[in-house]
Amino acid sequence: MGRLALAAGASLARTAAALAPQFARSVISNAFQPDVYGPRLAELAIQTSTEGAPVPIVFGRMRLAGQVIWAARFTETAQTRSAGGGKGGPKITEYSYALSFAVGLCEGPIAGVGRVWANGEPLDTGAITMRVHTGGEDQAPDPLIEAVEGAGSAPGYRGLAYVVFEDLPLDPYGQRIPNLSFEVFAASSGGDQPRMEDLVEGVCLIPASGEFAYASEEVVREIEPGFDRTENRHTLRAPSDFEAALDDLQARLPHCRSVALVTAWFGTDLRAGECEIRPGVETRDKETRPLSWSAAGLDRSTAHLVSQVDGSPAYGGTPADATVISAIRALKARGFAVTLYPFILMDVPAGNGLPDPYGGAEQAVYPWRGRITCHPAPGQAGSPDKTAAAAAQMAAFAGTVDAGDFQIGPDSVSYSGPNEWRLSRFILHHCALAAAAGGVESVIIGSEMRGASTVRDGAASYPFVTELKRLAGEARALLGPQTKISYAADWSEYSGHAPADGSGDRIFHLDPFWSDPDVDFIGIDWYGPLADWREGGGHADALAGARSIHDRAYLGGNVEGGEGYDWFYASEADRDAQVRTPITDGAYGEPWIWRYKDLRAFWESGHHDRIGGVRQPAPTAWTPRSKPVRLVELGCPAIDKGANQPNVFIDPKSSESFAPYFSTGARDDLIQRRYVETLLDYWAPANGRNPDSPAYAGPMLDLAHSHVWTWDARPFPEFPAREDVWTDGPNWRLGHWLTGRAGQSSLADIVTGLANRAGLDALDTSGLDGVLAGYVVDRPMPARAAIEQLGRVFGFDIADRASGPACVPVPTASAATPISAAR
């Protein structure tokens, strides 16, 4: 062993001696090899503002380039690494650069900035520091500019909207400032009447379905090893679609302080006794991280599998429980009052083969939840209506789950009750989620169940209403006294039931619920018509003097007037011919009981049922003026004549897909805007039409917690443009979405704004219809020239009249053909 060691040592010594000269040459060579330095900037050429360049004036939404108005000296960062060759070898030093600078955009104030592009490509603003100054007249200097220029030496750029970039990396852009452009949203301006953006205080937040649609963090799906696809981030403006949509909501609707978070489970059958309501998923085969889908104790393998249309899921899946909890917290952190709004989507596909309670060959395709009823339905042969069998079906639909079946943790909910998937489990699970999230302002325990609420088990007894009362009590046990609880009745349901059976009955069937001590307000999904408009000038409302369907005075006269208040159509034939039957009540002088639009009389009056047409001497349990009214939903589709029938929508997959009465089917963003503006402005407390209650501190109609349908958690324009991601994108064009429409400017507002700048305050723009996504004045021109330019596009002239100058539409012939009003 010693000899082996000695031999090995001698061998190593000879090898070292032989290599020593070579090693020495290598060391000497490396010692004299120069280090390598990358290119450096001595100075940075930047684009500066042009002397005397005009400051653009923006209306609506426009894309602007802007001008650099300030820049600090660039910052240099050196990174040194070894070039190889071992210790003591040469080094490579590379330099990267960043720049802080400001870009002037347009005259302020603006509502905000949306997307940003650098060299034509979307800029990930979530990965950089970018501050927007909206251009108010009291605008303070940017803190970075002030730090560089010195206190008292930095301009505030008052009246100028601008953006500050702090240490924007220049490496991706060839060590220069990229060509930047900005999506600018103007603030409300022009016009002498409140705009939608000034009036909306609450919105419903959808899509209701979407497994991770409400997640604040990005969730990715594994497609194959090493390849992921995002589930919920299709924008570079925020860490998730949800967060981007909330940013947009706060910018576009600055007075919105209440959000109804809509979350969907899936109904399986229109027969109440057979209908289950379950959480659903889009596919069984999906691996996601960092969140995995789970709802109500189910995973992908056990949840309801959503049906398909043309190879794609008919709906998105139920939002995961964890995302509902996080969404509630995120909304509250932004200062919103949260209404949790559990929503039933009926997953009844074509070819379902299910017996139809309404007598059809099979149940209608993807129907409205308001069609759920007893089997057969009231009025059908063999219906159990008015019998104990109807009560049994309603009890089966409601289920037996109670508050004690839920255990609430700080971030989760568990369940130990009966193995059933009925209404009570659906609603109470959401109440438990609200409690786990730290509480919400209110919870809706059901909505638009008109077919169920009007089923009777006796002459004037409504078993589903009894089930709703029980459910309100169980919800109270989970939520405590601080949370408001109610049901969202359909606008045709809230005020009573008048069965079409010739009985003469008129029963305030929901009064036992409205008067229940666990119910805090009357909730209504409000889609009452504000128009009865037809093509041409020969129909009744035009002949009565209304200028157009967009006329706010005309629409305002129908809030407490018109169809559903002064008169009704007894048949579709009468509607076609405009044969209007006055609403009267000769026997008892209470015509308001037949007026579904008479909120005021319903709220301030005692309620007496009519049995067999006879007014009952004793009133119901409702106490006049005792509780506020909230419009849980309100809105109008962006379609021609939307105000004629604002409750309908276009969705080709659904049997409920209709255009409004006498619509041409053309898109009309303005009628949506006018409907919302008219309804909210009419009831605004300052206008004196919304009476105060002596029983509680507040007005009849609680607009602060009323919600316009709808804002989408999928941000515009990614939704609706990304049809490869969201198959319902085409529905946006004619639908109820405010997303993508809030922030537009009406033609009248733009013309008024231009005229006011030139001192033409007397210009009458009341005859103008039209809405623009955006308009910019980007060069000096007379106000009249800008107005005349708009007139050539939109067909109006400026005329001098005895009352003063006015914008007068140029008559045009309409070639549009109305869609049939048949239903």
Side-chain angles (χ1 to χ4, degrees), residues 262 587 662 703 791:
V262 187
F662 307 104
L703 292 180

Side-chain angles (χ1 to χ4, degrees), residues 351-697:
N352 57 79
L354 297 173
D356 181 11
Y358 299 97
E362 66 177 16
Q363 292 184 18
V365 176
Y366 302 114
W368 174 42
R369 62 196 179 280
R371 311 285 183 202
I372 297 172
T373 188
C374 63
H375 181 63
Q380 298 290 318
S383 175
D385 190 37
K386 299 186 185 180
T387 73
Q393 291 189 25
M394 291 301 115
F397 176 65
T400 61
V401 173
D402 59 35
D405 295 326
F406 295 89
Q407 297 77 47
I408 301 169
D411 297 295
S412 63
V413 170
S414 58
Y415 174 76
S416 57
N419 184 24
E420 63 179 33
W421 296 98
R422 301 296 185 144
L423 182 69
S424 55
R425 182 167 183 182
F426 167 54
I427 296 298
L428 295 178
H429 178 79
H430 279 83
C431 293
L433 289 178
V440 294
E441 195 278 335
S442 56
V443 171
I444 303 301
I445 63 169
S447 66
E448 300 182 18
M449 305 299 297
R450 188 180 71 180
S453 73
T454 54
V455 171
R456 291 178 280 179
D457 61 355
S461 176
Y462 295 82
F464 181 72
V465 178
T466 301
E467 297 291 349
L468 278 179
K469 285 168 55 68
R470 184 189 80 84
L471 197 52
E474 298 298 330
R476 179 66 67 205
L478 285 169
L479 296 167
Q482 70 278 4
T483 301
K484 305 290 192 299
I485 295 171
S486 193
Y487 167 78
D490 186 67
W491 56 280
S492 63
E493 172 196 14
Y494 81 96
S495 59
H497 179 219
D501 58 4
S503 64
D505 291 346
R506 175 61 170 76
I507 302 168
F508 293 92
H509 67 309
L510 287 174
D511 274 13
F513 181 80
W514 298 139
S515 58
D516 190 278
D518 286 317
V519 175
D520 297 287
F521 58 90
I522 298 171
I524 310 173
D525 287 355
W526 186 263
Y527 295 97
L530 295 187
D532 183 33
W533 204 260
R534 318 295 169 93
E535 288 297 294
H539 60 91
D541 289 5
L543 293 172
R547 181 184 60 80
S548 82
I549 193 174
H550 304 106
D551 186 344
R552 282 175 58 158
Y554 164 63
L555 296 172
N558 287 318
V559 176
E560 291 185 286
E563 184 176 5
Y565 193 97
D566 296 320
W567 50 264
F568 71 100
Y569 285 126
S571 67
E572 289 305 310
D574 281 0
R575 182 180 297 279
D576 290 341
Q578 290 195 294
V579 177
R580 297 168 171 176
T581 302
I583 295 175
T584 60
D585 186 48
Y588 300 105
E590 294 179 326
W592 66 266
I593 75 168
W594 310 105
R595 297 170 173 168
Y596 59 77
K597 284 164 68 172
D598 200 344
L599 281 173
R600 186 191 309 274
F602 177 85
W603 177 76
E604 67 185 9
S605 303
H607 299 169
H608 294 258
D609 290 335
R610 306 277 179 92
I611 304 298
V614 177
R615 185 179 189 269
Q616 301 302 291
T620 71
W622 165 252
T623 300
R625 305 181 183 88
S626 59
K627 296 177 182 180
V629 176
R630 293 185 180 184
L631 306 183
V632 179
E633 295 179 27
L634 67 102
C636 180
I639 187 172
D640 173 67
K641 301 180 185 64
N644 282 2
Q645 198 180 10
N647 60 306
V648 299
F649 56 88
I650 301 294
D651 182 356
K653 77 173 185 295
S654 174
S655 58
E656 309 287 350
S657 180
F658 296 109
Y661 294 121
F662 307 104
S663 174
T664 65
R667 177 174 165 180
D668 186 352
D669 289 4
L670 184 59
I671 192 57
Q672 178 192 61
R673 173 177 292 270
R674 286 289 180 261
Y675 183 97
V676 172
E677 289 171 340
T678 298
L679 191 63
L680 296 181
D681 187 43
Y682 184 92
W683 290 116
N687 289 331
R689 303 185 188 98
N690 194 356
D692 288 322
S693 170
Y696 59 87

Side-chain angles (χ1 to χ4, degrees), residues 269-288:
D269 203 308
L270 290 179
R271 296 169 296 168
E274 306 297 327
C275 182
E276 291 191 327
I277 306 170
R278 302 174 64 98
V281 293
E282 301 155 21
T283 177
R284 302 280 187 213
D285 182 21
K286 185 189 293 189
E287 295 291 335
T288 59

Side-chain angles (χ1 to χ4, degrees), residues 689-713:
R689 303 185 188 98
N690 194 356
D692 288 322
S693 170
Y696 59 87
M700 172 189 75
L701 188 56
D702 180 3
L703 292 180
H705 298 96
S706 294
H707 303 97
V708 181
W709 188 276
T710 185
W711 196 265
D712 207 303

Side-chain angles (χ1 to χ4, degrees), residues 138-153:
D138 58 349
Q139 187 162 264
D142 181 84
L144 175 64
I145 297 178
E146 190 168 45
V148 173
E149 302 297 336
S153 299

Side-chain angles (χ1 to χ4, degrees), residues 17 36 61 122 243 247 270 291 298 311 334 365 372 413 422 492 501 520 572 607 680 685 714 717-718 730 790 792-793:
V36 178
R61 180 180 73 246
E243 292 293 336
D247 290 343
L270 290 179
L291 298 179
L298 301 180
R334 289 175 179 255
V365 176
I372 297 172
V413 170
R422 301 296 185 144
S492 63
D501 58 4
D520 297 287
E572 289 305 310
H607 299 169
L680 296 181
R714 301 165 295 180
E718 289 80 11
L790 288 168
R792 287 192 293 271
V793 175

